[in-house]
Amino acid sequence: MRVLGLETSCDETGVAVYDSERGLLAHRLYSQIALHAEYGGVVPELASRDHVRKLLPLINEVLSASGSLPADIDGIAYTSGPGLVGALMVGASMGRALAYAWNVPAIGVHHMEGHLLAPMLEANPPVYPFVALLVSGGHTQLVKVDALGEYELLGESIDDAAGEAFDKAAKMLDLDYPGGPQVAALAEQGSEGRFKFPRPMVDRPGLDFSFSGLKTATLTTVNAHAQANGLPDDQTCADIANAFQAAVVDTLVIKCKRALEQTGMKTLVIAGGVSANKKLRADLETQLARIGAKVFYARHEFCTDNGAMIAYAGCQRLLAGQHEGLAINVKARWPLNTLSPL
């Protein structure tokens, strides 16, 4: 089965063609970072309009790059939630319209299921069952994955997601949007140990997360070392970034180890934008090796939002006979554990 995948949940337009026998044939991604940078974050209406502008040209480009004609496409997958409703509507409307015109089935894909399955696109994919850490700007969740569609939520953030905390720390340090990669880059220039920030909720049982206290500690430190321009000196900013990143990574690693121990599993999958963080990957590999466990993740280009993960996830569900009718349904909020198993 050959599936066209469309991703428009937020500020990136992703299109891909995935073939169940030949694998990923082509993918393209257009990022709106430059469009939203002057606002310091995503403006939903601008995101929707830019998806309208870029989606069809990207579809044509990906079809050509994959050597596919419309007649070669056996199904269409599009992100139907969670995400920005206007942005989701663009991809869902396009996907549903093309499916109707080409007389093929279509299916709406859960955005976080797409992220969870992104490591399956690699040459050495993980094998079910496993524990997954879904960590991005909008989500921080630990999920027990018994099979595709069989998900049990183990823990999640009770306030900000880890990626959101990175973005807010970036604003405290007056870094450019998007903040997460900027904080990580600045942290590499920082000195370890100068500042020590809390590791939230690691001293109590359970697998939930909280990053509000860490944000407060970061802001307090920034203000305590502020100069006339309202910011600490450059080295102090780097040291704060280093301490902040270390606190987030340590918290995630501790909870991941705890999740594996509680479930008795030896495989961890990390997915979502924050899974591209180099320190998180390195620390997880080191710590999990000590308990005989292994971590899997997608290549960097598939950590952030992309069409390839949507095409793959949609293909699996279409192969199982699942599809949707003509109605266009998108969801701003959509719990992962409500998905139907295959």
Side-chain angles (χ1 to χ4, degrees):
M1 173 176 276
R2 187 169 296 190
V3 175
L4 174 68
L6 311 176
E7 158 59 24
T8 63
S9 65
C10 191
D11 63 336
E12 287 165 319
T13 311
V15 180
V17 172
Y18 178 84
D19 189 286
S20 58
E21 295 183 357
R22 297 173 55 195
L24 183 63
L25 301 183
H27 71 98
R28 296 290 186 274
L29 182 70
Y30 174 77
S31 175
Q32 300 176 3
I33 286 177
L35 175 66
H36 301 284
E38 64 177 296
Y39 304 101
V42 178
V43 181
E45 177 63 22
L46 294 181
S48 301
R49 291 178 183 229
D50 218 39
H51 287 311
V52 171
R53 184 173 68 90
K54 295 299 295 185
L55 188 54
L56 189 55
L58 283 178
I59 290 172
N60 288 330
E61 185 177 339
V62 167
L63 288 176
S64 176
S66 67
S68 303
L69 298 172
D72 299 320
I73 300 299
D74 302 306
I76 296 179
Y78 54 86
T79 306
S80 57
L84 303 175
V85 170
L88 291 168
M89 283 295 295
V90 176
S93 300
M94 177 67 77
R96 186 62 266 176
L98 288 178
Y100 183 79
W102 296 347
N103 194 30
V104 296
I107 189 164
V109 172
H110 193 291
H111 180 71
M112 296 311 295
E113 181 173 62
H115 275 304
L116 188 153
L117 297 176
M120 298 298 184
L121 293 164
E122 301 303 317
N124 181 31
V127 177
Y128 300 108
F130 53 78
V131 171
L133 172 68
L134 302 178
V135 57
S136 66
H139 298 81
T140 300
Q141 299 177 330
L142 279 164
V143 181
K144 180 172 176 281
V145 182
D146 290 314
L148 199 153
E150 297 182 25
Y151 308 129
E152 177 187 348
L153 181 64
L154 300 175
E156 62 184 338
S157 178
I158 62 175
D159 41 57
D160 289 353
E164 186 179 359
F166 264 102
D167 289 339
K168 290 181 177 178
K171 288 185 177 181
M172 297 174 197
L173 296 169
D174 197 31
L175 300 177
D176 293 334
Y177 170 85
Q182 300 289 337
V183 172
L186 184 60
E188 293 183 357
Q189 305 171 32
S191 303
E192 294 185 13
R194 179 180 175 188
F195 300 108
K196 179 74 172 180
F197 292 153
R199 275 60 173 163
M201 297 183 69
V202 299
D203 58 348
R204 66 187 74 176
L207 296 171
D208 286 335
F209 302 88
S210 172
F211 296 103
S212 59
L214 175 57
K215 289 189 308 176
T216 301
T218 304
L219 181 60
T220 299
T221 305
V222 169
N223 291 337
H225 292 80
Q227 302 180 113
N229 65 351
L231 288 172
D233 62 78
D234 291 346
Q235 186 57 52
T236 299
C237 284
D239 294 344
I240 292 172
N242 183 284
F244 172 84
Q245 177 177 253
V248 173
V249 169
D250 283 353
T251 301
L252 295 173
V253 171
I254 290 169
K255 292 299 179 83
C256 286
K257 288 178 63 179
R258 187 178 297 176
L260 290 172
E261 290 166 356
Q262 290 184 7
T263 60
M265 293 185 180
K266 295 296 184 181
T267 302
L268 176 77
V269 166
I270 57 171
V274 182
S275 70
N277 184 281
K278 291 190 292 185
K279 180 172 175 57
L280 176 61
R281 291 186 176 195
D283 286 9
L284 277 172
E285 288 177 351
T286 299
Q287 294 297 322
L288 296 193
R290 294 175 180 173
I291 61 172
K294 190 172 183 181
V295 60
F296 291 82
Y297 40 77
R299 70 196 82 164
H300 275 69
E301 62 186 320
F302 294 152
C303 290
T304 55
D305 297 349
N306 63 87
M309 68 182 191
I310 301 303
Y312 177 85
C315 183
Q316 307 315 304
R317 290 192 172 273
L318 288 168
L319 284 170
Q322 297 182 9
H323 60 86
E324 298 183 358
L326 294 176
I328 296 174
N329 295 308
V330 298
K331 307 176 184 72
R333 298 180 182 276
W334 189 5
L336 184 64
N337 58 358
T338 64
L339 292 179
S340 60
L342 297 189

